[in-house]
Amino acid sequence: MLAAFPRLRAILLRVAQAIPVVIGVVVISFLLTRALPGDPAVYFAGVAADEASIEETRVAMGLDRPLPVQFVHYVGDLMRGDLGQSLSSGRPVATDLANRLPASLELTLTALILAVVIAVPLGVLAATRPGTWVDHLCRVVVTAGVSLPTFFTGILLIYIFYYILGIAPSPLGRLDFIYLSPDHVTGFYLIDAALMGDWETWRGAAKQLILPAATLALFTLAPIARMTRAAMLTALSSDFIRTARAAGLSNRAVLYRYAFRNALLPVVTTLGMVFSFALGANVLVEKVFAWPGIGSYAVEALVVSDYAAVQGFVLAMALLFVALNLVIDLLYTAIDPRIGFDAQ
Amino acid sequence: MSDITPADMPRQSGTLDHVIHVLRANPVTLIAFGMFAFLILSAVIGPAVVPYDPLATNASNALQPPSWAHWFGTDQIGRDVFSRVIVATRLDLTISVAAVAISFVVGSILGCIAGYWGGWPDIILNRFLDTIMAFPLFVLAMGIVAALGNTVENIIYATAIINMPFYARLVRAEVNIRRDAGFVRAAKLAGCSDIRVLATQIFPNALPPMMVQVSLNLGWAILNAAGLSFIGLGVSPPTAEWGIMVAEGANFIVSGEWWLAVFPGLWLMFAVFTFNLLGDGLRDIVDPRKRT
């Protein structure tokens, strides 16, 4: 029956391929939680625990049972969305993460959109005008972008735009305290404020967002620009472009309808790697700008050795990354008409 | 390709000629080698020649802007930022070199096994590498350090683990395409064991691309280690280390004391930039086709 819908078949196949990866991620997360320094039972029993209460914790947490049994329980807990209790906030880790996730997503997605909007045209221009200033600019941006530590870029931007020029608000979180945070609809302040029609708050949130997003964008820009340039150069030198030009198509049509659409495929593939970097760099940027997302949550938890929170964060990030990669691959299927029929 | 010994001598000098040619044609690579030498020098003799003790505090001389006495200024408790930045080179380079060395060795062994024998070790290795790569790598490093304990050694192990897949995949591919090559069959016929063939005939072929990978990877390993210590993992405060110095200096940037964070940050950038340039240069020498 599925044979009639090759596109749907390809999509289902790709979704099925994500399953072993998710299983692997869960296994590694489980091993990380069980590899805590010393005895986890001693740790979770608390500071004032004696022998008996440590033993009690061990039994209560199932730590006295063999590892495979513990793993089954761990997976069972995950299925119910239970990532354990955070010691520092006293709430379930899953709740904390869910509360803070929109802040991280808003930052990361804004940065990625910013990076793509700048990097793709830059790469295309550099490829179509080799040797000009655009090409050199592209090269400088690419080399500098991969050498810049994200946390350092962030601090430099704060110094320039907050301290010297005074045009950026103080780098403390998502919204200055003079504004009330908008009603929770999506958790994205920009969208929520726009839904309420509160443009004052929207501007305030946008002002706070622009520096951290720019920091993250600078970092993710480099690989995208590099890949776009290389892919465009490859596409422009291929035979079908020569044919298209020989057939008398306009420069514009050749560039955008033929070369660009083909160059887009390798670019979309690199986006997966870029996401990996962006999610990691996100942690550093959140720390620099005191952004209340899941990255700074993990950093705070690390400082006070709140392991359940850290491990929950690692798992959540990995699952997010797997999901993003899945979305990219599905996008790929949508962009490339050949894929649906090629896949068996 | 298989008759190495007689053709070896002219090929060697040919390589040298090629290296000289590339260096002459691309002065940037030469500069990169100079920058690299400078970094090594400051790591080796830095602690002996810096003007001040990197840990000596002097409360009366705190937060001084850069001057002739203190080139990079002083920090909040009067320590000389220049001395600290130079002394930190050794620690930062040690962490990244140790991490890259571990991933090089472990990755090579795993890659050789998977690429040469194939079969189930290959399948298991690939699944395992896929799983590691399914994590955002920096986040995985955070999780590993949190699980193993907050020490410098564990920073090294975590950085090694997240870099290992790149080496294992590279070696696996290089070994796999050569396992049935003529010179390998000849060596087997001559009575060499599998291990010996792998170590002396196949693996050396993977070394040139590995060197490029090492150089590019070192920069990334430094960034990674500095990032981990920036969020408070591994290196503990009084120690001079670039990431932690930027983190401490970040508190003063909003009040205008820029030199605390900017100089260690610049040095970090300089180191990463050096390794990236070096990697690009080495790639030109090793594989001229991939020149960009």
Side-chain angles (χ1 to χ4, degrees), chain B residues 43 88-100 156:
Chain B
T89 314
R90 183 182 288 182
L91 181 59
D92 276 275
L93 284 191
T94 309
I95 293 177
S96 49
V97 169
V100 168
I156 295 176

Side-chain angles (χ1 to χ4, degrees), chain A residues 20-21 24-25 28-29 32-33 35-37 139 143-144 146-152 155-156 158-159 162-163 171 219 226 229 273 275-277 279-281 283-284 287-288 295 298-299 302-303 307 310-311 313-315 317-318 321-322, chain B residues 127-128 130-140 142-144 146-150 166 220 223 226-228 230-233 242-243 246-247 250 253-258 261-266 268-269 272-273 276-277 280 283 292:
Chain A
V21 178
V25 164
I28 290 199
S29 307
L32 284 179
T33 45
L36 284 179
R139 191 165 306 170
T143 320
V146 290
S147 307
L148 272 174
T150 352
F151 51 93
F152 182 55
I155 288 170
L156 274 188
I158 291 176
Y159 181 66
Y162 172 69
Y163 183 75
F219 181 72
R226 182 180 206 154
R229 178 173 172 276
M273 207 61 225
F275 274 134
S276 170
F277 288 141
L279 290 178
V283 178
L284 299 170
K287 170 141 197 314
V288 171
V299 172
L302 269 176
V303 173
Y307 294 112
V310 179
Q311 307 301 7
F313 159 77
V314 173
L315 182 65
M317 280 297 233
F321 183 45
V322 172
Chain B
R127 276 278 156 265
F128 177 60
D130 281 348
T131 311
I132 292 187
M133 301 290 280
F135 285 87
L137 293 176
F138 184 77
V139 173
L140 179 61
M142 282 172 66
I144 294 173
L148 296 181
N150 196 351
F166 299 102
W220 198 58
L223 266 189
L228 286 174
F230 178 79
I231 59 173
L233 286 177
W242 295 328
V246 175
I253 210 92
V254 283
S255 50
E257 283 93 6
W258 53 272
V262 166
F263 287 115
L266 279 178
L268 178 59
M269 244 178 77
V272 179
F273 191 58
N276 283 341
L277 277 185
D280 286 342
R283 182 161 49 201
T292 46

Side-chain angles (χ1 to χ4, degrees), chain A residues 236 238-251 253-255 258:
Chain A
L236 282 173
S238 49
D239 288 344
F240 64 88
I241 294 295
R242 197 190 50 189
T243 311
R245 283 197 204 283
L249 288 177
S250 73
N251 210 10
V254 169
L255 208 57
Y258 289 80

Side-chain angles (χ1 to χ4, degrees), chain B:
Chain B
M1 277 298 270
S2 49
D3 54 337
I4 303 162
T5 354
D8 212 23
M9 286 312 288
R11 212 186 57 143
Q12 279 299 319
S13 68
T15 312
L16 192 66
D17 282 347
H18 178 59
V19 169
I20 293 171
H21 169 75
V22 168
L23 285 184
R24 197 172 291 157
N26 192 355
V28 176
T29 309
L30 198 62
I31 296 172
F33 274 106
M35 286 155 66
F36 180 61
F38 172 76
L39 275 178
I40 296 293
L41 207 66
S42 32
V44 175
I45 63 165
V49 297
V50 288
Y52 299 90
D53 179 353
L55 296 178
T57 59
N58 180 1
S60 62
N61 201 17
L63 290 176
Q64 293 301 309
S67 63
W68 276 116
H70 297 278
W71 290 359
F72 291 178
T74 59
D75 68 5
Q76 70 277 18
I77 46 176
R79 295 174 296 194
D80 181 47
V81 176
F82 176 71
S83 303
R84 287 173 66 72
V85 165
I86 295 295
V87 168
T89 314
R90 183 182 288 182
L91 181 59
D92 276 275
L93 284 191
T94 309
I95 293 177
S96 49
V97 169
V100 168
I102 294 175
S103 27
F104 182 93
V105 172
V106 176
S108 299
I109 294 172
L110 292 181
C112 278
I113 294 172
Y116 189 70
W117 281 286
W120 59 264
D122 191 24
I123 296 172
I124 291 180
L125 179 76
N126 270 324
R127 276 278 156 265
F128 177 60
L129 296 183
D130 281 348
T131 311
I132 292 187
M133 301 290 280
F135 285 87
L137 293 176
F138 184 77
V139 173
L140 179 61
M142 282 172 66
I144 294 173
V145 177
L148 296 181
N150 196 351
T151 63
V152 176
E153 292 90 74
N154 289 335
I155 294 268
I156 295 176
Y157 295 139
T159 312
I161 292 174
I162 62 170
N163 282 325
M164 201 269 292
F166 299 102
Y167 294 93
R169 286 200 170 147
L170 187 65
V171 172
R172 185 194 164 278
E174 295 283 330
V175 169
N176 201 23
I177 52 171
R178 290 190 177 86
R179 69 176 183 175
D180 271 333
F183 63 94
V184 173
R185 290 186 175 190
K188 277 188 190 165
L189 277 178
C192 294
S193 67
D194 278 345
I195 305 277
R196 195 181 157 89
V197 170
L198 251 183
T200 62
Q201 305 293 319
I202 303 183
F203 183 65
N205 286 297
L207 279 176
M210 290 285 274
M211 280 351 272
V212 177
Q213 180 72 23
V214 164
S215 174
L216 292 173
N217 217 215
L218 270 172
W220 198 58
I222 293 183
L223 266 189
N224 198 72
L228 286 174
S229 57
F230 178 79
I231 59 173
L233 286 177
V235 189
S236 45
T239 320
E241 195 276 339
W242 295 328
I244 213 164
M245 288 175 75
V246 175
E248 287 178 344
N251 303 324
F252 295 89
I253 210 92
V254 283
S255 50
E257 283 93 6
W258 53 272
W259 55 92
L260 265 63
V262 166
F263 287 115
L266 279 178
W267 235 248
L268 178 59
M269 244 178 77
F270 174 77
V272 179
F273 191 58
T274 304
F275 287 117
N276 283 341
L277 277 185
L278 213 58
D280 286 342
L282 282 178
R283 182 161 49 201
D284 289 356
I285 294 173
V286 170
D287 185 1
R289 279 166 309 171
K290 288 212 182 113
R291 216 173 288 177
T292 46

Side-chain angles (χ1 to χ4, degrees), chain A residues 30-53:
Chain A
F30 168 73
L31 291 178
L32 284 179
T33 45
R34 289 304 179 267
L36 284 179
D39 186 349
V42 176
Y43 170 74
F44 283 108
V47 192
D50 54 11
E51 283 293 317
S53 64

